[in-house]
Amino acid sequence: TCVRSSRALSPVLLPRLLLPHTGYRSASRGLWTSPHCMTVSGDSQLLPLPSQARVVICGGGIVGTSVAYHLAKLGWTDIVLLEQGRLGAGTTRLCAGIVSVAKPISIECQMANYSNSLYQQLEEETGIKTGYVKTGSLCLAQNQDRFISLNGSLKRLASRLKVMGISCNIIKPKEVAKLHPLVNIHDLVGALHLPADAVVSPPEVNHALAVAAAGQGVQILERTSVQQVLVEKGHVMAVETDRGSIECEYFVNCAGQWAYELGQASEMKVSVPLHGCEHFYLLTKPLQEPLPPNAPVVIDMDGRIYARPWQGGLLSGGFEKNPKPIFTEGRNQLEIQNMQEDWDHFEPMLCALLRRMPGLESAEIHQLVNCPESFTPDMRCLMGETPGVSGYYVLAGMNSSGLAFAGGAGKYLAEWMTYGYPTANVWPLDIKRFGNLQSSRTFLRHRVMEVMPLLYELKVPRWDFQTGRQLRTSPLYDRLDTQGARWMEKHGFERPKYFVPPGKDLLSLDQSKTFYKPDWFDIVGAEVKCCKEAVCVIDMSSFTKFELTSTGDQALELLQHLCANDLDVPVGHIVHTGMLNERGGYENDCSVVRLSKNSFFIVSPTDQQVHCWSWIKKHMPNDPHLHLEDVSWKYTALNLIGPRAMDVLAELSYVSMTPDHFPSMFCKEMSVGYANGIRVMSMTHTGEPGFMLYIPIEYALHVYNEVMSVGQKYGIRNAGYYALRSLRIEKFFAFWGQDLDAFTTPLECGREFRVKFDKDTNFLGREALLQQRQDGVFRRFVMLVLEDHDTELDLWPWWGEPIYRNGQLAGTTTSSAYSYTLERHVCLGFVSPPPGKEGLPTPITPDFINRGDYEVDIAGQRYPAKAKLYPFSSLFTQQKRRKEDMELSNLQGK
């Protein structure tokens, strides 16, 4: 349909129709014609290369100049910024110039919001016009799912932005037409208006940042290529360029498209998992009725396009379903930045643009721009210090949001380098969320072809990537798969979500997408019921597992320094503990088993594999008698949950598994079936009775088969992580990465009992916690049970929902699940009292929590909730049983 209508358009509008084989190219290759794409000084002569610096930044685009600017602002001197070509002549020169806060996660919204303010103030600070125009933006929705979705649209996004104090409004289609006369509103159900969004001239912003940085003493050298980073004893020592070497303490890889290759080319390889894709947008000549420069940006995710005013005309691009990856190996900057137009490839986006703005049919084309962008495996940028090389930092992989993120990301990275941590929780962006396993070029190529379309795809809760799968699997994968396992992926590891019983419609379950009650509801409910009444098996092999050993007391001394809880316990005891930073926040939340006097087994969350390893290594003394080993791959982990778990294990081991003989939080090495050396632990991570079995992988299939065989008489079945999630949330168990982070302390989440205040041990975070004890806690982790919420008809909570107390915003949820025991939704999250006098934070008290009337906002609809500081599943269970007994008694009486 689009092709037929396109042929009726002006010949100038579709040059591909007139010149299908001539390689049509516009004479003007750049979107922006700023003279400042050349050099800050205006001098074309190469500046001399310094022999040393404190920090060297590679990359003269807007990301690199932002880092330099913010480091200088924080008082750093002796900063050198290197650019292989001309300053700002890479992707920065070609990007669309949109600064919008409509981003999928809160930290990205914060970065974009800061960038917006920064770019506006740069004009005052430098006197350089940045092209800043506050246009606002319109995020359109063609259906109700988009209207309520999680991934950057409308009602849920609006609720989240309001928590952050960012102005936004849900508006009707008629109001859209008033704000932007070109927009066709006939198929819209609504829109989100963000009045503070803006457009800028990216090269001018880049130039302003560079000038401001240079004014603070930053040296900027163009036409200087970094060849490798030299490392000595695990620390950055120097940077080798095509013009000589620079000795330095720190190196920042802001090389954009070349960040991956630069990491691989270094003396000690650094993993920077990103891959480039071609990204197209269209420029029109001024319209017959020129579009005013303050016309709102239009983001039509359902149509996969965006549009903004540009010199009286329009700039419009999008994220197609079939992106074109590019390779940067062996290609210079000029080749990458001057790629050919592809009208056939752009045609679907052109059709979507004409459907959304039919008035453009008579418009004339100025240029089709092919702008390379780099994308990461999870659509989030890469930030932070690399795990293998101290002093080597990365800021790259902006997923086509480099301009919007550059200001805030540069600020957070500069804080990280200055203070050792940023002022916000950036774990979702931390490069240590990835490891070497995500560095395969084939993996990255396949993943980015999925990632780029997903930027505008409607993503329902708990959606999963489809590419790069089955990379890491348990030895039981095939066995579980044949039994109906449905899989999700965490840190490259396949984990079962739930198990589809025989006879269920598998296709409908696999394709189920909803923000309401999901199709797997009853399946997970049956698994939860089995965990509580019989016995279930969950394969939890993905958990991170380390062994720390020493010849003397070195291992114990290190753990006593790193861990808040006391690790000087008898052999065989299990300790739940946090590893805290100097501010008292959680860097890791783990279970530690004392295997012998000088040997410890550390179990951490799956996505902590790189981060936790890096954290421990950072604080380990250089002692040949102290050894840390990652044994995650050596053990298969089975979680036996339920009251009959002890019967199954007793029958397989001929050992009594009752609490008298096997107390809680204890570990024994046992035989299970024919297999020896199984580490059996009396814990389940859910609060339910049961055991964790850590099995050497060569025994995994045998032990699993034996457990399932013996367990038949006890009603055993497989279960997945959805059941685990429901169980742990109704028991008020916090998980690191969801509820706990580097800014959360044990005192804020009710874990003071896991802190060794009574021991004369100077562990990391002790001083901060003692100070917090004295000053009071200003926020508190709470459990909220929704009331008057219809599970069948109402939208479900997932995470990030605002929490209101007595009508005032008090916090946000961090995780949630349906409790099959309580028969209600349970949300976990943090609440804070309003500021006191002079805007200072107010200590929170139990009365504040217990005496408030709470509501949880789900996509704009508030639901009453009961808040507690402790799990009250036991109370509900008692009431439910009493009610059932009464009903049974009445029935028998009749």
Side-chain angles (χ1 to χ4, degrees), residues 645-686:
M646 66 176 69
D647 298 313
V648 175
L649 279 183
E651 196 165 326
L652 283 169
S653 62
Y654 296 97
V655 173
S656 175
M657 304 299 293
T658 62
D660 290 338
H661 296 88
F662 205 125
S664 177
M665 300 299 290
F666 197 75
C667 174
K668 291 181 183 178
E669 195 167 281
M670 299 170 52
S671 297
V672 178
Y674 297 152
N676 289 319
I678 311 301
R679 291 175 181 171
V680 179
M681 305 180 191
S682 51
M683 56 179 280
T684 63
H685 303 284
T686 64

Short mmCIF file of all heavy atoms in Angstrom, two decimals, residues 645-686:
data_model
loop_
_atom_site.label_atom_id
_atom_site.label_comp_id
_atom_site.label_asym_id
_atom_site.label_seq_id
_atom_site.Cartn_x
_atom_site.Cartn_y
_atom_site.Cartn_z
N ALA A 645 10.52 -32.35 51.85
CA ALA A 645 11.90 -32.38 51.36
C ALA A 645 12.77 -33.24 52.25
O ALA A 645 13.65 -33.98 51.77
CB ALA A 645 12.46 -30.95 51.28
N MET A 646 12.56 -33.16 53.58
CA MET A 646 13.39 -33.95 54.49
C MET A 646 13.15 -35.46 54.29
O MET A 646 14.08 -36.26 54.43
CB MET A 646 13.13 -33.54 55.93
CG MET A 646 11.74 -33.85 56.46
SD MET A 646 11.58 -33.41 58.22
CE MET A 646 11.66 -31.63 58.12
N ASP A 647 11.92 -35.84 53.92
CA ASP A 647 11.64 -37.26 53.69
C ASP A 647 12.38 -37.77 52.45
O ASP A 647 12.92 -38.88 52.45
CB ASP A 647 10.13 -37.47 53.52
CG ASP A 647 9.36 -37.08 54.77
OD1 ASP A 647 9.78 -37.48 55.86
OD2 ASP A 647 8.36 -36.35 54.65
N VAL A 648 12.39 -36.94 51.40
CA VAL A 648 13.07 -37.33 50.17
C VAL A 648 14.56 -37.52 50.42
O VAL A 648 15.16 -38.53 50.04
CB VAL A 648 12.83 -36.28 49.06
CG1 VAL A 648 13.65 -36.62 47.82
CG2 VAL A 648 11.36 -36.19 48.71
N LEU A 649 15.18 -36.54 51.09
CA LEU A 649 16.62 -36.62 51.32
C LEU A 649 16.97 -37.72 52.31
O LEU A 649 18.00 -38.39 52.17
CB LEU A 649 17.15 -35.28 51.83
CG LEU A 649 17.41 -34.22 50.76
CD1 LEU A 649 18.00 -32.96 51.39
CD2 LEU A 649 18.36 -34.73 49.68
N ALA A 650 16.14 -37.92 53.31
CA ALA A 650 16.41 -38.98 54.29
C ALA A 650 16.42 -40.35 53.61
O ALA A 650 17.27 -41.21 53.89
CB ALA A 650 15.36 -38.94 55.40
N GLU A 651 15.50 -40.53 52.68
CA GLU A 651 15.42 -41.82 51.98
C GLU A 651 16.60 -42.02 51.04
O GLU A 651 17.05 -43.15 50.82
CB GLU A 651 14.10 -41.88 51.22
CG GLU A 651 13.72 -43.28 50.78
CD GLU A 651 12.27 -43.37 50.36
OE1 GLU A 651 11.41 -42.67 50.94
OE2 GLU A 651 12.00 -44.16 49.42
N LEU A 652 17.13 -40.94 50.49
CA LEU A 652 18.25 -41.05 49.56
C LEU A 652 19.61 -41.11 50.25
O LEU A 652 20.59 -41.55 49.65
CB LEU A 652 18.24 -39.86 48.60
CG LEU A 652 17.21 -39.91 47.46
CD1 LEU A 652 17.13 -38.56 46.77
CD2 LEU A 652 17.60 -41.00 46.47
N SER A 653 19.67 -40.65 51.50
CA SER A 653 20.97 -40.57 52.18
C SER A 653 21.06 -41.48 53.40
O SER A 653 22.15 -41.63 53.96
CB SER A 653 21.22 -39.12 52.63
OG SER A 653 20.23 -38.72 53.56
N TYR A 654 19.93 -42.07 53.80
CA TYR A 654 19.88 -42.90 55.01
C TYR A 654 20.36 -42.13 56.24
O TYR A 654 20.98 -42.68 57.14
CB TYR A 654 20.73 -44.18 54.83
CG TYR A 654 20.20 -45.08 53.73
CD1 TYR A 654 20.74 -45.05 52.45
CD2 TYR A 654 19.13 -45.95 53.97
CE1 TYR A 654 20.24 -45.86 51.43
CE2 TYR A 654 18.62 -46.77 52.97
CZ TYR A 654 19.18 -46.72 51.70
OH TYR A 654 18.68 -47.51 50.71
N VAL A 655 20.07 -40.84 56.24
CA VAL A 655 20.42 -39.96 57.36
C VAL A 655 19.17 -39.19 57.74
O VAL A 655 18.42 -38.72 56.88
CB VAL A 655 21.55 -38.99 56.97
CG1 VAL A 655 21.80 -37.98 58.08
CG2 VAL A 655 22.83 -39.74 56.64
N SER A 656 18.94 -39.03 59.02
CA SER A 656 17.79 -38.25 59.48
C SER A 656 17.99 -36.78 59.11
O SER A 656 19.05 -36.20 59.39
CB SER A 656 17.62 -38.38 60.99
OG SER A 656 16.58 -37.53 61.44
N MET A 657 16.96 -36.19 58.52
CA MET A 657 17.05 -34.79 58.09
C MET A 657 16.14 -33.88 58.93
O MET A 657 15.87 -32.75 58.56
CB MET A 657 16.65 -34.67 56.61
CG MET A 657 17.46 -35.54 55.68
SD MET A 657 19.23 -35.14 55.68
CE MET A 657 19.22 -33.52 54.94
N THR A 658 15.68 -34.37 60.08
CA THR A 658 14.82 -33.56 60.94
C THR A 658 15.61 -32.42 61.55
O THR A 658 16.86 -32.49 61.65
CB THR A 658 14.23 -34.43 62.06
OG1 THR A 658 15.32 -34.92 62.87
CG2 THR A 658 13.43 -35.59 61.49
N PRO A 659 14.95 -31.37 61.99
CA PRO A 659 15.66 -30.23 62.59
C PRO A 659 16.54 -30.60 63.77
O PRO A 659 17.56 -29.94 64.01
CB PRO A 659 14.52 -29.30 63.02
CG PRO A 659 13.40 -29.62 62.09
CD PRO A 659 13.51 -31.09 61.83
N ASP A 660 16.20 -31.65 64.48
CA ASP A 660 17.04 -32.07 65.61
C ASP A 660 18.41 -32.56 65.14
O ASP A 660 19.42 -32.37 65.82
CB ASP A 660 16.34 -33.18 66.40
CG ASP A 660 15.12 -32.68 67.15
OD1 ASP A 660 15.08 -31.45 67.40
OD2 ASP A 660 14.23 -33.48 67.48
N HIS A 661 18.42 -33.22 63.98
CA HIS A 661 19.67 -33.77 63.46
C HIS A 661 20.32 -32.88 62.41
O HIS A 661 21.52 -33.00 62.13
CB HIS A 661 19.42 -35.16 62.85
CG HIS A 661 18.98 -36.18 63.83
ND1 HIS A 661 17.64 -36.37 64.14
CD2 HIS A 661 19.68 -37.05 64.61
CE1 HIS A 661 17.55 -37.33 65.05
NE2 HIS A 661 18.77 -37.76 65.36
N PHE A 662 19.50 -32.00 61.81
CA PHE A 662 20.02 -31.12 60.75
C PHE A 662 19.41 -29.74 60.97
O PHE A 662 18.41 -29.38 60.36
CB PHE A 662 19.63 -31.66 59.38
CG PHE A 662 20.56 -31.23 58.27
CD1 PHE A 662 21.17 -32.17 57.45
CD2 PHE A 662 20.83 -29.89 58.05
CE1 PHE A 662 22.01 -31.77 56.42
CE2 PHE A 662 21.67 -29.48 57.03
CZ PHE A 662 22.27 -30.43 56.21
N PRO A 663 19.98 -28.97 61.88
CA PRO A 663 19.38 -27.67 62.23
C PRO A 663 19.37 -26.68 61.06
O PRO A 663 20.11 -26.84 60.09
CB PRO A 663 20.28 -27.17 63.37
CG PRO A 663 21.57 -27.89 63.20
CD PRO A 663 21.23 -29.22 62.60
N SER A 664 18.55 -25.66 61.20
CA SER A 664 18.45 -24.61 60.16
C SER A 664 19.78 -23.88 60.02
O SER A 664 20.54 -23.73 60.97
CB SER A 664 17.35 -23.63 60.55
OG SER A 664 17.27 -22.58 59.62
N MET A 665 20.05 -23.44 58.79
CA MET A 665 21.26 -22.67 58.46
C MET A 665 22.52 -23.47 58.79
O MET A 665 23.48 -22.97 59.38
CB MET A 665 21.27 -21.32 59.18
CG MET A 665 20.10 -20.43 58.82
SD MET A 665 20.06 -20.01 57.07
CE MET A 665 21.46 -18.94 56.94
N PHE A 666 22.50 -24.72 58.35
CA PHE A 666 23.64 -25.60 58.58
C PHE A 666 23.97 -26.31 57.28
O PHE A 666 23.10 -26.53 56.43
CB PHE A 666 23.33 -26.62 59.68
CG PHE A 666 24.55 -27.28 60.24
CD1 PHE A 666 25.38 -26.60 61.13
CD2 PHE A 666 24.88 -28.59 59.90
CE1 PHE A 666 26.51 -27.21 61.66
CE2 PHE A 666 26.02 -29.19 60.42
CZ PHE A 666 26.83 -28.50 61.30
N CYS A 667 25.24 -26.68 57.11
CA CYS A 667 25.69 -27.35 55.88
C CYS A 667 26.46 -28.62 56.24
O CYS A 667 27.31 -28.60 57.14
CB CYS A 667 26.59 -26.40 55.07
SG CYS A 667 27.36 -27.16 53.62
N LYS A 668 26.12 -29.70 55.53
CA LYS A 668 26.86 -30.96 55.68
C LYS A 668 27.22 -31.48 54.30
O LYS A 668 26.44 -31.32 53.35
CB LYS A 668 26.00 -32.02 56.38
CG LYS A 668 25.72 -31.78 57.84
CD LYS A 668 24.89 -32.93 58.40
CE LYS A 668 24.52 -32.70 59.87
NZ LYS A 668 23.68 -33.81 60.40
N GLU A 669 28.36 -32.09 54.19
CA GLU A 669 28.72 -32.79 52.95
C GLU A 669 28.23 -34.23 53.09
O GLU A 669 28.63 -34.94 54.02
CB GLU A 669 30.22 -32.74 52.72
CG GLU A 669 30.62 -33.10 51.31
CD GLU A 669 32.06 -32.74 50.99
OE1 GLU A 669 32.33 -31.55 50.72
OE2 GLU A 669 32.91 -33.65 51.01
N MET A 670 27.37 -34.66 52.15
CA MET A 670 26.69 -35.93 52.29
C MET A 670 26.71 -36.72 50.99
O MET A 670 27.08 -36.19 49.93
CB MET A 670 25.21 -35.70 52.69
CG MET A 670 25.01 -34.98 54.00
SD MET A 670 23.29 -34.48 54.26
CE MET A 670 22.43 -36.01 53.98
N SER A 671 26.27 -37.97 51.10
CA SER A 671 26.01 -38.79 49.92
C SER A 671 24.51 -38.72 49.63
O SER A 671 23.69 -38.82 50.54
CB SER A 671 26.41 -40.24 50.16
OG SER A 671 27.79 -40.35 50.39
N VAL A 672 24.17 -38.54 48.36
CA VAL A 672 22.78 -38.56 47.92
C VAL A 672 22.70 -39.55 46.77
O VAL A 672 23.30 -39.33 45.72
CB VAL A 672 22.30 -37.16 47.48
CG1 VAL A 672 20.86 -37.23 46.99
CG2 VAL A 672 22.42 -36.17 48.62
N GLY A 673 21.98 -40.64 46.99
CA GLY A 673 22.02 -41.72 46.01
C GLY A 673 23.42 -42.30 45.98
O GLY A 673 24.02 -42.59 47.02
N TYR A 674 23.95 -42.47 44.78
CA TYR A 674 25.31 -43.00 44.63
C TYR A 674 26.38 -41.91 44.70
O TYR A 674 27.57 -42.21 44.68
CB TYR A 674 25.46 -43.72 43.29
CG TYR A 674 24.58 -44.93 43.11
CD1 TYR A 674 24.16 -45.32 41.85
CD2 TYR A 674 24.17 -45.70 44.20
CE1 TYR A 674 23.36 -46.42 41.66
CE2 TYR A 674 23.37 -46.81 44.03
CZ TYR A 674 22.96 -47.17 42.76
OH TYR A 674 22.17 -48.27 42.59
N ALA A 675 25.98 -40.66 44.71
CA ALA A 675 26.92 -39.54 44.58
C ALA A 675 27.44 -39.08 45.93
O ALA A 675 26.67 -38.85 46.87
CB ALA A 675 26.25 -38.37 43.86
N ASN A 676 28.75 -38.91 46.02
CA ASN A 676 29.39 -38.39 47.22
C ASN A 676 29.70 -36.91 47.06
O ASN A 676 29.70 -36.36 45.95
CB ASN A 676 30.70 -39.14 47.49
CG ASN A 676 30.47 -40.55 47.97
OD1 ASN A 676 29.57 -40.80 48.76
ND2 ASN A 676 31.28 -41.49 47.47
N GLY A 677 30.00 -36.27 48.19
CA GLY A 677 30.48 -34.89 48.16
C GLY A 677 29.41 -33.86 47.83
O GLY A 677 29.72 -32.80 47.29
N ILE A 678 28.15 -34.16 48.14
CA ILE A 678 27.07 -33.20 47.90
C ILE A 678 26.98 -32.26 49.09
O ILE A 678 26.86 -32.71 50.24
CB ILE A 678 25.71 -33.91 47.71
CG1 ILE A 678 25.82 -35.07 46.72
CG2 ILE A 678 24.64 -32.90 47.29
CD1 ILE A 678 26.28 -34.67 45.36
N ARG A 679 27.07 -30.97 48.84
CA ARG A 679 26.92 -29.98 49.92
C ARG A 679 25.43 -29.71 50.13
O ARG A 679 24.78 -29.09 49.27
CB ARG A 679 27.67 -28.70 49.58
CG ARG A 679 29.18 -28.89 49.58
CD ARG A 679 29.93 -27.64 49.13
NE ARG A 679 31.37 -27.88 49.11
CZ ARG A 679 32.26 -27.03 48.60
NH1 ARG A 679 31.86 -25.88 48.07
NH2 ARG A 679 33.55 -27.34 48.63
N VAL A 680 24.91 -30.17 51.25
CA VAL A 680 23.49 -30.02 51.56
C VAL A 680 23.34 -28.93 52.61
O VAL A 680 23.98 -29.00 53.68
CB VAL A 680 22.90 -31.35 52.06
CG1 VAL A 680 21.42 -31.18 52.39
CG2 VAL A 680 23.09 -32.44 51.01
N MET A 681 22.51 -27.93 52.33
CA MET A 681 22.34 -26.79 53.23
C MET A 681 20.87 -26.66 53.61
O MET A 681 19.99 -26.70 52.73
CB MET A 681 22.81 -25.50 52.56
CG MET A 681 24.24 -25.55 52.05
SD MET A 681 24.74 -24.00 51.26
CE MET A 681 26.29 -24.51 50.51
N SER A 682 20.60 -26.46 54.86
CA SER A 682 19.21 -26.33 55.33
C SER A 682 18.75 -24.88 55.19
O SER A 682 18.67 -24.13 56.16
CB SER A 682 19.10 -26.79 56.78
OG SER A 682 20.09 -26.17 57.58
N MET A 683 18.48 -24.49 53.97
CA MET A 683 17.99 -23.15 53.61
C MET A 683 17.38 -23.24 52.22
O MET A 683 17.72 -24.14 51.44
CB MET A 683 19.11 -22.12 53.62
CG MET A 683 20.28 -22.48 52.71
SD MET A 683 21.59 -21.25 52.70
CE MET A 683 20.89 -20.06 51.58
N THR A 684 16.47 -22.31 51.88
CA THR A 684 15.81 -22.37 50.55
C THR A 684 15.69 -21.02 49.86
O THR A 684 15.19 -20.95 48.75
CB THR A 684 14.39 -22.95 50.68
OG1 THR A 684 13.59 -22.07 51.49
CG2 THR A 684 14.40 -24.35 51.29
N HIS A 685 16.10 -19.92 50.51
CA HIS A 685 15.97 -18.56 49.95
C HIS A 685 14.51 -18.12 49.85
O HIS A 685 14.21 -17.13 49.17
CB HIS A 685 16.63 -18.44 48.57
CG HIS A 685 18.08 -18.81 48.55
ND1 HIS A 685 19.07 -18.00 49.04
CD2 HIS A 685 18.71 -19.93 48.11
CE1 HIS A 685 20.25 -18.58 48.90
NE2 HIS A 685 20.06 -19.76 48.35
N THR A 686 13.60 -18.85 50.48
CA THR A 686 12.17 -18.51 50.38
C THR A 686 11.49 -18.40 51.73
O THR A 686 10.37 -17.92 51.81
CB THR A 686 11.41 -19.58 49.57
OG1 THR A 686 11.46 -20.82 50.28
CG2 THR A 686 12.00 -19.75 48.18
#
